[in-house]
Amino acid sequence: MHTIIKAHDSQMEQIIEKVRHGQRLSLEDGVFLYESDDLLTIGQLANEVALRKNGKKVYFIENMSLYFTNVCEAHCAFCNFRKDEGAPGAYTLSGDQMIEYVEQHIHPGVREFHIVGGHNPHVPFQYYVDSLKALNEKYPDVTLKAYTAAEIDFFSRISGLSYKEVLEELMKAGLKSLTGGGAEILSDHYRKKMRVDKADVSQYLEVHRTAHKLGLRTHTTMLYGSIESKEDRIRHLIQIRELQDETGGFLVFIPLSMQPINPKAGIRRRNSAFEDLKTIAISRLMLDNFQHIKAYFINIGVQLTQVALTMGASDAHGTIVKERISHAAGALTPEGITREDLIWLIKGAGRIPVERDTFYNEIKIYE
C-alpha cells in the first residue's frame, strides 16, 4: 500500500523512489531527511521498510542489565555513571558478589545478561574474564552479551593482548555477543570535543570487525543529541553500514537519545520526541543491510517507543530489570519493564510481539 505518501518536494520524491526500488540512500539523502520537517512521510517510508523486512513482528527479550564496576579511567563529557577509585559510590564487584545481586533480582525467563561497566584500571584483565566465568558457571543457560568495543580496546591496552586474543579469552569464559555501546558518534572531531578518551573511530570499528571474524554477532549504537551535526550522524550510519557490508555481523542498530546530566533538567535540555522518531526512521532508511532497528524505551520512554514501532523500529529491547547508566545521566523513564507490559505495548501499536533470544531466534509469538 504505497498510495498514502504525497511528497511535493522533488528530492523527497527521489528518496521515496530509491527506497521503494531497493536503492541505497546517500549522505546527501540522509542529511536532507534530517533537515526535512515532514516526519510523517519519513516515518511512513521507514514503516514500509520495516514491514518489508520483518512483517508486523516486533521483537523483545527477557534480559537483565549488570554492571560489575563503575570505576573508570575515562572522563567522557556526557557520562554521569563513572566514578574514581575510592570516591563515594564507587564499587567493583567480585563474581560472587554479582551472583548474590543476580539471585536477589533475577526472575524466571531471563535469557540474557547485558554486561557493561567502567574501564577500571585498578584490576587486571583476568578480573573481567573471571567475572564472565563466574556467571557462566552459575547460569549456563543465560547468554552473556558483555562489554563494549571500547572496553575490549581497554582490555587490550591493560593486558598487552591483541583484540583477537582478548576476545578469544572472553569467549572461552562464556562471551557470546558484544554490546553496542562506546560508539557515541563515530567522528574523531566529536570525540575530541566531547572528551571521549577511549577507543577512537577506527578502533571501535576494528573491534567489531575482529569479533565478527571470530563468529560473534554484535550490536551497535549511536548516541545522538549533543554537539554533533546532522552530517556527523549520517556519516556514523554510513560507516557502520559499510562494516555490515563487509562482515554481516551486526544484529541490530540502537539509536541512543542523549540524556542530560541533571535528572531535573527541563524538556529543552532533552532531544525532542520529533527528533527521536526522526532518528529511528532515518536509521531504518539508511541502514538497508540491518535486519533490526531498536527503539530503546529507557531513553525515549515507553509511549514514544510504541509510536516508533510504526516508524521503522522492529525491536522494543527487553525487560532490563534495573538500568543504571542512562538513569545516572537523568533518564526519567522506568528502570525496567515487565514482559506483560512489553507485550501490551507492542500489541497497542498493531504489531505482533515476538519473544526472542540474543540472536533473534524466535522463542514465542504472542498472536
Side-chain angles (χ1 to χ4, degrees), residues 8 12 14 23 32 37 44 100 104 112 147 180 187-188 228 233 288:
H8 303 296
M12 185 69 88
Q14 286 169 11
Q23 294 171 352
F32 171 83
D37 61 1
Q44 191 178 348
E100 192 180 325
Q104 290 168 3
E112 174 189 280
Y147 305 134
S187 149
D188 285 323
E228 81 282 355
R233 294 184 194 176
D288 50 48

Side-chain angles (χ1 to χ4, degrees), residues 71-90:
V71 175
C72 191
E73 65 171 14
H75 292 79
C76 305
F78 48 78
C79 183
N80 209 34
F81 174 75
R82 69 160 305 281
K83 301 282 184 191
D84 290 319
E85 176 83 341

